C-alpha cells in the first residue's frame, strides 16, 4: 500500500471504528435487522424508505424478508443488510426465533416501531415484544458461553459501548443485549394531542430508551423525519456514521442516539408526589409503567382475533390452489 492508501484507511477507521473491526478489506459486511411493533404502525414504510424503494407498502403477513446492498467505496464488493419484518403486532412474536440465531447474533439489531397515535396499546406492545426478544437472545448467549465464549463476551461488552463508564447512570440502566432503536411512528397525529399527553408519552419513551441503552426517534410520513430514522437504521445496517445531533424538546420530534440522554435530564415520572408515594414498584421501569398506565389504561386487545386468514387475502391469490381448496372445503 502507498502512504496515501494507508492514510485513507486510517481516516476511515477513525471515523467509523466499530464498522471496520470485524471486516477485512474486500470482505462483505453483513448485518441483519428485525423490525417489529404495532400492527399498521408504519414498519414497511420505514423499510422501503431505508432501501430507497418507491413502492406503496402492502400489509405484512407473519414474517417477511427483504435485503439492501450498498458499496462502501468505488469498486468494492457491496455490503448486504438483511431486513426482517414481523407482522401481526404481538400475536406472532414467537416467530423471532427464525431470524435471530447464534450464527448472526453478533451482527443483529432490532428496530421497535411504536404507533404514537395509540398510546393505550403502546406499553403492552413494547413490553411483550422486548421481553420475548430479550429472552430469546439471552438463551442464545447462554449457549454461546459454552460453545464460543469469546463471541459471547464480545456481545456482552458491546451492550455497554454506548454508555461511557463515567456516565452518571451507569449503575441504573439495563442495556438490551443487542442494538435497539425505538421508533415512534405517526408523529403527525401525535402532534395534535394535548401537550400534557405528549409530554407523558415523550418522557416515558425517553426513559425506556435510555434504560435499555437504545436510540429513540420520532417519525411520520414527512421526508425530513423519515431521513432521521433512516440515518439511525443505516448506521446499524451499513455502518454509516452515527448522528451526533440530539433533539429532546417535547414540542418537537424527539431524536436521541443511544447513550446521549440521562436520567437527570429526563426527570422523575410525570405524576404528583402523592401518587408516586402510593405506587408500589420494585424497579424504576415498573414505576414508569404504573404512571403511564394511569393516564393511558391499556386496551385489552387480543391480536390473534384480528389476524385474518391469509388464504382469503387477494394479494396471495393462486388460481389453481384456490380452486383445489374450494373443492376440498366443499
Amino acid at each position: 500500500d502507498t502512504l496515501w492508501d494507508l492514510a485513507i484507511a486510517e481516516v476511515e477507521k477513525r471515523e467509523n471504528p466499530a464498522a471496520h473491526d470485524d471486516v477485512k478489506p474486500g470482505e462483505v459486511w453483513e448485518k441483519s435487522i428485525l423490525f417489529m411493533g404495532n400492527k399498521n404502525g408504519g414498519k414497511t414504510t420505514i423499510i422501503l424508505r431505508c432501501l430507497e424503494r418507491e413502492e406503496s407498502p402492502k400489509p405484512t403477513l407473519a414474517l417477511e424478508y427483504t435485503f439492501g446492498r450498498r458499496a462502501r467505496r468505488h469498486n468494492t464488493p457491496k455490503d448486504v443488510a438483511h431486513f426482517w419484518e414481523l407482522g401481526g403486532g404481538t400475536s406472532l412474536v414467537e416467530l423471532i426465533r427464525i431470524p435471530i440465531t447464534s450464527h448472526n447474533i453478533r451482527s443483529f439489531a432490532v428496530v421497535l416501531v411504536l404507533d404514537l397515535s395509540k398510546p393505550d396499546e403502546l406499553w403492552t406492545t413494547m413490553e411483550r415484544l422486548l421481553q420475548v426478544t430479550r429472552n430469546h437472545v439471552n438463551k442464545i448467549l447462554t449457549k454461546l458461553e459454552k460453545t464460543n465464549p469469546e463471541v459471547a463476551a464480545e456481545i456482552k461488552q458491546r451492550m455497554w459501548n454506548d454508555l461511557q463508564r463515567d456516565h452518571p447512570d451507569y449503575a441504573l440502566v439495563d442495556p438490551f443485549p443487542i442494538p435497539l432503536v425505538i421508533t415512534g411512528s405517526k408523529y403527525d397525529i401525535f402532534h395534535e394531542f394535548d401537550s400534557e399527553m405528549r409530554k407523558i408519552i415523550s418522557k416515558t419513551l425517553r426513559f425506556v430508551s435510555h434504560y435499555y441503552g437504545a436510540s429513540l426517534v420520532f417519525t411520520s410520513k414527512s421526508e425530513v423525519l423519515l431521513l432521521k430514522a433512516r440515518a439511525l437504521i443505516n448506521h446499524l445496517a451499513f455502518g454509516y456514521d452515527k448522528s451526533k445531533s440530539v433533539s429532546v424538546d417535547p414540542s418537537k420530534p424527539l431524536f436521541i442516539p443511544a447513550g446521549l440522554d440521562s436520567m437527570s435530564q429526563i426527570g422523575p415520572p410525570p405524576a404528583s408526589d402523592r401518587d408516586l408515594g402510593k405506587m408500589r414498584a420494585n424497579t424504576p421501569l415498573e414505576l414508569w409503567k404504573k404512571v403511564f398506565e394511569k393516564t393511558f389504561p391499556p386496551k385489552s386487545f387480543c391480536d390473534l382475533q384480528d389476524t385474518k386468514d391469509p388464504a382469503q387475502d387477494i394479494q396471495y391469490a393462486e388460481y389453481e390452489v384456490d380452486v383445489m381448496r374450494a373443492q376440498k372445503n366443499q
Side-chain angles (χ1 to χ4, degrees), residues 162-224:
D162 285 318
L163 213 60
Q164 270 64 44
R165 278 203 177 273
D166 55 359
H167 195 293
D169 304 333
Y170 199 80
L172 304 172
V173 298
D174 183 13
F176 204 68
I178 52 180
L180 172 67
V181 171
I182 295 178
T183 305
S185 65
K186 307 200 181 169
Y187 177 78
D188 42 344
I189 302 172
F190 170 77
H191 191 56
E192 303 297 315
F193 283 8
D194 165 68
S195 68
E196 212 37 51
M197 283 167 73
R198 285 208 312 266
K199 197 169 138 197
I200 294 172
I201 297 170
S202 297
K203 259 185 121 171
T204 304
L205 285 178
R206 274 180 71 183
F207 170 79
V208 170
S209 300
H210 185 55
Y211 182 77
Y212 282 131
S215 297
L216 176 65
V217 59
F218 281 3
T219 183
S220 71
K221 283 188 175 143
S222 112
E223 201 54 34
V224 181

